[in-house]
Amino acid sequence: TQLLEQSPQFLSIQEGENLTVYCNSSSVFSSLQWYRQEPGEGPVLLVTVVTGGEVKKLKRLTFQFGDARKDSSLHITAAQPGDTGLYLCAGEGETSGSRLTFGEGTQLTVNP
Amino acid sequence: DVKVTQSSRYLVKRTGEKVFLECVQDMDHENMFWYRQDPGLGLRLIYFSYDVKMKEKGDIPEGYSVSREKKERFSLILESASTNQTSMYLCASSIMVRQYFGPGTRLTVT
């Protein structure tokens, strides 16, 4: 079974600060996705990274896929209260078809 | 927009009851999934299905079964609910790898 370890599990910061969330594995993934989940809702896809070393930007969010396709990071610049939520990484295994392996999640709280 | 709906947002059941959780998607997706979500454990896959009448066990299938009689509908069944099945249950559908989630059912078993 492939595992994805996400850190930190909890993060509470002030508005305007920067932060990074990490997602690590000993397994290689064909692609890695990041989702955000708000209370009372299901996770919603933010981005998919496919190529080793790939960097994608979504406004103040920067996503990176490791060169070896075993890890990923999410960096948020100048966090805002609207960024508050649970961030989940999910990896597509090389032989798992459409099945995803999810990390444990990072609960981010941005205080005004 | 893809829509995945789940039959109940909140459900309270007694130990030993049979529980049905229904999930419907409107985008003709082949793949459907059931997860449970618990704090600190992320999403754990219970069962999934790649086609009608087809089902595959996920990582934690014990105590659960599923039914997929129609492409758009995927049901999760707790044959005899137990307190350790109190959790948030999320259904998802997908085409390729991207998954679309329903809003979840928070199930409490007392």
PDB file of all heavy atoms in Angstrom, chain A residues 28-52:
ATOM      1  N   VAL A  28       6.728   6.232  -5.867  1.00  0.00           N
ATOM      2  CA  VAL A  28       6.636   7.127  -7.024  1.00  0.00           C
ATOM      3  C   VAL A  28       5.178   7.228  -7.458  1.00  0.00           C
ATOM      4  O   VAL A  28       4.468   6.220  -7.494  1.00  0.00           O
ATOM      5  CB  VAL A  28       7.492   6.594  -8.186  1.00  0.00           C
ATOM      6  CG1 VAL A  28       7.307   7.463  -9.442  1.00  0.00           C
ATOM      7  CG2 VAL A  28       8.960   6.544  -7.786  1.00  0.00           C
ATOM      8  N   PHE A  29       4.755   8.425  -7.786  1.00  0.00           N
ATOM      9  CA  PHE A  29       3.386   8.635  -8.244  1.00  0.00           C
ATOM     10  C   PHE A  29       3.371   9.156  -9.676  1.00  0.00           C
ATOM     11  O   PHE A  29       4.236   9.925 -10.090  1.00  0.00           O
ATOM     12  CB  PHE A  29       2.659   9.623  -7.333  1.00  0.00           C
ATOM     13  CG  PHE A  29       2.381   9.075  -5.962  1.00  0.00           C
ATOM     14  CD1 PHE A  29       3.215   9.372  -4.890  1.00  0.00           C
ATOM     15  CD2 PHE A  29       1.304   8.235  -5.744  1.00  0.00           C
ATOM     16  CE1 PHE A  29       2.968   8.855  -3.629  1.00  0.00           C
ATOM     17  CE2 PHE A  29       1.050   7.713  -4.482  1.00  0.00           C
ATOM     18  CZ  PHE A  29       1.884   8.026  -3.425  1.00  0.00           C
ATOM     19  N   SER A  30       2.382   8.722 -10.433  1.00  0.00           N
ATOM     20  CA  SER A  30       2.207   9.222 -11.804  1.00  0.00           C
ATOM     21  C   SER A  30       1.790  10.684 -11.788  1.00  0.00           C
ATOM     22  O   SER A  30       2.144  11.450 -12.677  1.00  0.00           O
ATOM     23  CB  SER A  30       1.143   8.397 -12.537  1.00  0.00           C
ATOM     24  OG  SER A  30       1.531   7.055 -12.621  1.00  0.00           O
ATOM     25  N   SER A  31       0.990  11.049 -10.827  1.00  0.00           N
ATOM     26  CA  SER A  31       0.578  12.444 -10.672  1.00  0.00           C
ATOM     27  C   SER A  31       0.222  12.673  -9.217  1.00  0.00           C
ATOM     28  O   SER A  31       0.011  11.721  -8.456  1.00  0.00           O
ATOM     29  CB  SER A  31      -0.626  12.765 -11.562  1.00  0.00           C
ATOM     30  OG  SER A  31      -1.780  12.100 -11.096  1.00  0.00           O
ATOM     31  N   LEU A  32       0.154  13.940  -8.856  1.00  0.00           N
ATOM     32  CA  LEU A  32      -0.217  14.273  -7.498  1.00  0.00           C
ATOM     33  C   LEU A  32      -1.213  15.424  -7.541  1.00  0.00           C
ATOM     34  O   LEU A  32      -1.020  16.381  -8.320  1.00  0.00           O
ATOM     35  CB  LEU A  32       1.016  14.634  -6.670  1.00  0.00           C
ATOM     36  CG  LEU A  32       0.779  14.435  -5.173  1.00  0.00           C
ATOM     37  CD1 LEU A  32       1.920  13.670  -4.549  1.00  0.00           C
ATOM     38  CD2 LEU A  32       0.536  15.741  -4.488  1.00  0.00           C
ATOM     39  N   GLN A  33      -2.234  15.312  -6.755  1.00  0.00           N
ATOM     40  CA  GLN A  33      -3.281  16.335  -6.732  1.00  0.00           C
ATOM     41  C   GLN A  33      -3.343  16.975  -5.353  1.00  0.00           C
ATOM     42  O   GLN A  33      -3.031  16.336  -4.346  1.00  0.00           O
ATOM     43  CB  GLN A  33      -4.637  15.698  -7.044  1.00  0.00           C
ATOM     44  CG  GLN A  33      -4.665  14.979  -8.376  1.00  0.00           C
ATOM     45  CD  GLN A  33      -5.999  14.312  -8.649  1.00  0.00           C
ATOM     46  OE1 GLN A  33      -6.936  14.439  -7.875  1.00  0.00           O
ATOM     47  NE2 GLN A  33      -6.085  13.632  -9.765  1.00  0.00           N
ATOM     48  N   TRP A  34      -3.755  18.231  -5.344  1.00  0.00           N
ATOM     49  CA  TRP A  34      -4.048  18.931  -4.091  1.00  0.00           C
ATOM     50  C   TRP A  34      -5.518  19.339  -4.088  1.00  0.00           C
ATOM     51  O   TRP A  34      -6.024  19.892  -5.069  1.00  0.00           O
ATOM     52  CB  TRP A  34      -3.165  20.178  -3.947  1.00  0.00           C
ATOM     53  CG  TRP A  34      -1.742  19.869  -3.597  1.00  0.00           C
ATOM     54  CD1 TRP A  34      -0.707  19.652  -4.458  1.00  0.00           C
ATOM     55  CD2 TRP A  34      -1.204  19.732  -2.279  1.00  0.00           C
ATOM     56  NE1 TRP A  34       0.448  19.395  -3.761  1.00  0.00           N
ATOM     57  CE2 TRP A  34       0.170  19.450  -2.424  1.00  0.00           C
ATOM     58  CE3 TRP A  34      -1.735  19.835  -0.990  1.00  0.00           C
ATOM     59  CZ2 TRP A  34       1.020  19.253  -1.323  1.00  0.00           C
ATOM     60  CZ3 TRP A  34      -0.889  19.653   0.087  1.00  0.00           C
ATOM     61  CH2 TRP A  34       0.469  19.367  -0.081  1.00  0.00           C
ATOM     62  N   TYR A  35      -6.182  19.042  -2.971  1.00  0.00           N
ATOM     63  CA  TYR A  35      -7.585  19.386  -2.780  1.00  0.00           C
ATOM     64  C   TYR A  35      -7.700  20.312  -1.567  1.00  0.00           C
ATOM     65  O   TYR A  35      -6.885  20.257  -0.638  1.00  0.00           O
ATOM     66  CB  TYR A  35      -8.419  18.125  -2.498  1.00  0.00           C
ATOM     67  CG  TYR A  35      -8.600  17.192  -3.674  1.00  0.00           C
ATOM     68  CD1 TYR A  35      -7.602  16.290  -4.028  1.00  0.00           C
ATOM     69  CD2 TYR A  35      -9.782  17.177  -4.401  1.00  0.00           C
ATOM     70  CE1 TYR A  35      -7.765  15.424  -5.087  1.00  0.00           C
ATOM     71  CE2 TYR A  35      -9.970  16.303  -5.465  1.00  0.00           C
ATOM     72  CZ  TYR A  35      -8.953  15.426  -5.801  1.00  0.00           C
ATOM     73  OH  TYR A  35      -9.121  14.563  -6.854  1.00  0.00           O
ATOM     74  N   ARG A  36      -8.757  21.105  -1.563  1.00  0.00           N
ATOM     75  CA  ARG A  36      -9.096  21.883  -0.371  1.00  0.00           C
ATOM     76  C   ARG A  36     -10.525  21.540   0.026  1.00  0.00           C
ATOM     77  O   ARG A  36     -11.410  21.451  -0.831  1.00  0.00           O
ATOM     78  CB  ARG A  36      -8.991  23.388  -0.604  1.00  0.00           C
ATOM     79  CG  ARG A  36      -9.218  24.181   0.667  1.00  0.00           C
ATOM     80  CD  ARG A  36      -8.857  25.614   0.482  1.00  0.00           C
ATOM     81  NE  ARG A  36      -9.933  26.353  -0.155  1.00  0.00           N
ATOM     82  CZ  ARG A  36      -9.794  27.587  -0.620  1.00  0.00           C
ATOM     83  NH1 ARG A  36      -8.637  28.204  -0.536  1.00  0.00           N
ATOM     84  NH2 ARG A  36     -10.812  28.197  -1.166  1.00  0.00           N
ATOM     85  N   GLN A  37     -10.716  21.384   1.325  1.00  0.00           N
ATOM     86  CA  GLN A  37     -12.028  21.043   1.838  1.00  0.00           C
ATOM     87  C   GLN A  37     -12.441  22.061   2.885  1.00  0.00           C
ATOM     88  O   GLN A  37     -11.691  22.339   3.822  1.00  0.00           O
ATOM     89  CB  GLN A  37     -11.996  19.635   2.458  1.00  0.00           C
ATOM     90  CG  GLN A  37     -13.338  19.144   2.958  1.00  0.00           C
ATOM     91  CD  GLN A  37     -13.235  17.743   3.527  1.00  0.00           C
ATOM     92  OE1 GLN A  37     -12.162  17.259   3.855  1.00  0.00           O
ATOM     93  NE2 GLN A  37     -14.367  17.057   3.650  1.00  0.00           N
ATOM     94  N   GLU A  38     -13.646  22.580   2.705  1.00  0.00           N
ATOM     95  CA  GLU A  38     -14.194  23.526   3.681  1.00  0.00           C
ATOM     96  C   GLU A  38     -15.227  22.794   4.531  1.00  0.00           C
ATOM     97  O   GLU A  38     -15.769  21.760   4.122  1.00  0.00           O
ATOM     98  CB  GLU A  38     -14.778  24.726   2.953  1.00  0.00           C
ATOM     99  CG  GLU A  38     -13.703  25.456   2.151  1.00  0.00           C
ATOM    100  CD  GLU A  38     -14.180  26.766   1.574  1.00  0.00           C
ATOM    101  OE1 GLU A  38     -15.221  27.271   2.027  1.00  0.00           O
ATOM    102  OE2 GLU A  38     -13.496  27.270   0.671  1.00  0.00           O
ATOM    103  N   PRO A  39     -15.492  23.304   5.729  1.00  0.00           N
ATOM    104  CA  PRO A  39     -16.422  22.602   6.633  1.00  0.00           C
ATOM    105  C   PRO A  39     -17.763  22.320   5.979  1.00  0.00           C
ATOM    106  O   PRO A  39     -18.342  23.184   5.321  1.00  0.00           O
ATOM    107  CB  PRO A  39     -16.563  23.593   7.796  1.00  0.00           C
ATOM    108  CG  PRO A  39     -15.306  24.382   7.783  1.00  0.00           C
ATOM    109  CD  PRO A  39     -14.926  24.518   6.339  1.00  0.00           C
ATOM    110  N   GLY A  40     -18.234  21.092   6.128  1.00  0.00           N
ATOM    111  CA  GLY A  40     -19.543  20.735   5.595  1.00  0.00           C
ATOM    112  C   GLY A  40     -19.560  20.447   4.108  1.00  0.00           C
ATOM    113  O   GLY A  40     -20.637  20.224   3.542  1.00  0.00           O
ATOM    114  N   GLU A  41     -18.398  20.433   3.492  1.00  0.00           N
ATOM    115  CA  GLU A  41     -18.326  20.183   2.056  1.00  0.00           C
ATOM    116  C   GLU A  41     -17.327  19.083   1.752  1.00  0.00           C
ATOM    117  O   GLU A  41     -16.474  18.756   2.572  1.00  0.00           O
ATOM    118  CB  GLU A  41     -17.928  21.460   1.302  1.00  0.00           C
ATOM    119  CG  GLU A  41     -18.859  22.635   1.510  1.00  0.00           C
ATOM    120  CD  GLU A  41     -20.259  22.365   0.976  1.00  0.00           C
ATOM    121  OE1 GLU A  41     -20.391  21.587  -0.004  1.00  0.00           O
ATOM    122  OE2 GLU A  41     -21.231  22.907   1.562  1.00  0.00           O
ATOM    123  N   GLY A  42     -17.419  18.550   0.525  1.00  0.00           N
ATOM    124  CA  GLY A  42     -16.413  17.590   0.101  1.00  0.00           C
ATOM    125  C   GLY A  42     -15.183  18.302  -0.433  1.00  0.00           C
ATOM    126  O   GLY A  42     -15.230  19.495  -0.732  1.00  0.00           O
ATOM    127  N   PRO A  43     -14.071  17.596  -0.559  1.00  0.00           N
ATOM    128  CA  PRO A  43     -12.847  18.202  -1.108  1.00  0.00           C
ATOM    129  C   PRO A  43     -13.062  18.662  -2.548  1.00  0.00           C
ATOM    130  O   PRO A  43     -13.805  18.035  -3.305  1.00  0.00           O
ATOM    131  CB  PRO A  43     -11.830  17.061  -1.052  1.00  0.00           C
ATOM    132  CG  PRO A  43     -12.363  16.110  -0.026  1.00  0.00           C
ATOM    133  CD  PRO A  43     -13.843  16.215  -0.128  1.00  0.00           C
ATOM    134  N   VAL A  44     -12.381  19.745  -2.907  1.00  0.00           N
ATOM    135  CA  VAL A  44     -12.440  20.290  -4.265  1.00  0.00           C
ATOM    136  C   VAL A  44     -11.024  20.373  -4.804  1.00  0.00           C
ATOM    137  O   VAL A  44     -10.120  20.864  -4.125  1.00  0.00           O
ATOM    138  CB  VAL A  44     -13.098  21.684  -4.268  1.00  0.00           C
ATOM    139  CG1 VAL A  44     -13.052  22.288  -5.673  1.00  0.00           C
ATOM    140  CG2 VAL A  44     -14.542  21.603  -3.783  1.00  0.00           C
ATOM    141  N   LEU A  45     -10.834  19.904  -6.018  1.00  0.00           N
ATOM    142  CA  LEU A  45      -9.500  19.885  -6.616  1.00  0.00           C
ATOM    143  C   LEU A  45      -8.974  21.294  -6.849  1.00  0.00           C
ATOM    144  O   LEU A  45      -9.657  22.153  -7.394  1.00  0.00           O
ATOM    145  CB  LEU A  45      -9.548  19.140  -7.957  1.00  0.00           C
ATOM    146  CG  LEU A  45      -8.217  19.022  -8.693  1.00  0.00           C
ATOM    147  CD1 LEU A  45      -7.266  18.085  -7.937  1.00  0.00           C
ATOM    148  CD2 LEU A  45      -8.424  18.522 -10.120  1.00  0.00           C
ATOM    149  N   LEU A  46      -7.714  21.521  -6.422  1.00  0.00           N
ATOM    150  CA  LEU A  46      -7.027  22.778  -6.698  1.00  0.00           C
ATOM    151  C   LEU A  46      -6.120  22.637  -7.924  1.00  0.00           C
ATOM    152  O   LEU A  46      -6.128  23.492  -8.815  1.00  0.00           O
ATOM    153  CB  LEU A  46      -6.166  23.195  -5.494  1.00  0.00           C
ATOM    154  CG  LEU A  46      -6.918  23.545  -4.204  1.00  0.00           C
ATOM    155  CD1 LEU A  46      -5.925  23.768  -3.074  1.00  0.00           C
ATOM    156  CD2 LEU A  46      -7.801  24.760  -4.415  1.00  0.00           C
ATOM    157  N   VAL A  47      -5.323  21.571  -7.941  1.00  0.00           N
ATOM    158  CA  VAL A  47      -4.332  21.446  -9.012  1.00  0.00           C
ATOM    159  C   VAL A  47      -3.885  19.989  -9.131  1.00  0.00           C
ATOM    160  O   VAL A  47      -4.000  19.222  -8.172  1.00  0.00           O
ATOM    161  CB  VAL A  47      -3.102  22.336  -8.708  1.00  0.00           C
ATOM    162  CG1 VAL A  47      -2.215  21.698  -7.653  1.00  0.00           C
ATOM    163  CG2 VAL A  47      -2.292  22.635  -9.963  1.00  0.00           C
ATOM    164  N   THR A  48      -3.418  19.635 -10.312  1.00  0.00           N
ATOM    165  CA  THR A  48      -2.772  18.345 -10.547  1.00  0.00           C
ATOM    166  C   THR A  48      -1.382  18.617 -11.108  1.00  0.00           C
ATOM    167  O   THR A  48      -1.237  19.407 -12.052  1.00  0.00           O
ATOM    168  CB  THR A  48      -3.559  17.504 -11.558  1.00  0.00           C
ATOM    169  OG1 THR A  48      -4.881  17.290 -11.055  1.00  0.00           O
ATOM    170  CG2 THR A  48      -2.896  16.154 -11.775  1.00  0.00           C
ATOM    171  N   VAL A  49      -0.366  17.976 -10.546  1.00  0.00           N
ATOM    172  CA  VAL A  49       0.993  18.055 -11.096  1.00  0.00           C
ATOM    173  C   VAL A  49       1.379  16.679 -11.591  1.00  0.00           C
ATOM    174  O   VAL A  49       1.061  15.667 -10.960  1.00  0.00           O
ATOM    175  CB  VAL A  49       2.011  18.598 -10.074  1.00  0.00           C
ATOM    176  CG1 VAL A  49       1.845  20.092  -9.898  1.00  0.00           C
ATOM    177  CG2 VAL A  49       1.873  17.907  -8.727  1.00  0.00           C
ATOM    178  N   VAL A  50       2.030  16.665 -12.739  1.00  0.00           N
ATOM    179  CA  VAL A  50       2.260  15.399 -13.439  1.00  0.00           C
ATOM    180  C   VAL A  50       3.746  15.125 -13.687  1.00  0.00           C
ATOM    181  O   VAL A  50       4.190  13.987 -13.597  1.00  0.00           O
ATOM    182  CB  VAL A  50       1.508  15.398 -14.790  1.00  0.00           C
ATOM    183  CG1 VAL A  50       1.749  14.111 -15.547  1.00  0.00           C
ATOM    184  CG2 VAL A  50       0.028  15.591 -14.558  1.00  0.00           C
ATOM    185  N   THR A  51       4.496  16.144 -13.984  1.00  0.00           N
ATOM    186  CA  THR A  51       5.891  15.971 -14.388  1.00  0.00           C
ATOM    187  C   THR A  51       6.828  16.253 -13.217  1.00  0.00           C
ATOM    188  O   THR A  51       6.631  17.232 -12.480  1.00  0.00           O
ATOM    189  CB  THR A  51       6.231  16.934 -15.535  1.00  0.00           C
ATOM    190  OG1 THR A  51       5.272  16.754 -16.586  1.00  0.00           O
ATOM    191  CG2 THR A  51       7.623  16.673 -16.066  1.00  0.00           C
ATOM    192  N   GLY A  52       7.844  15.409 -13.037  1.00  0.00           N
ATOM    193  CA  GLY A  52       8.821  15.651 -11.986  1.00  0.00           C
ATOM    194  C   GLY A  52       9.448  17.029 -12.119  1.00  0.00           C
ATOM    195  O   GLY A  52       9.845  17.416 -13.209  1.00  0.00           O
TER     196      GLY A  52
END
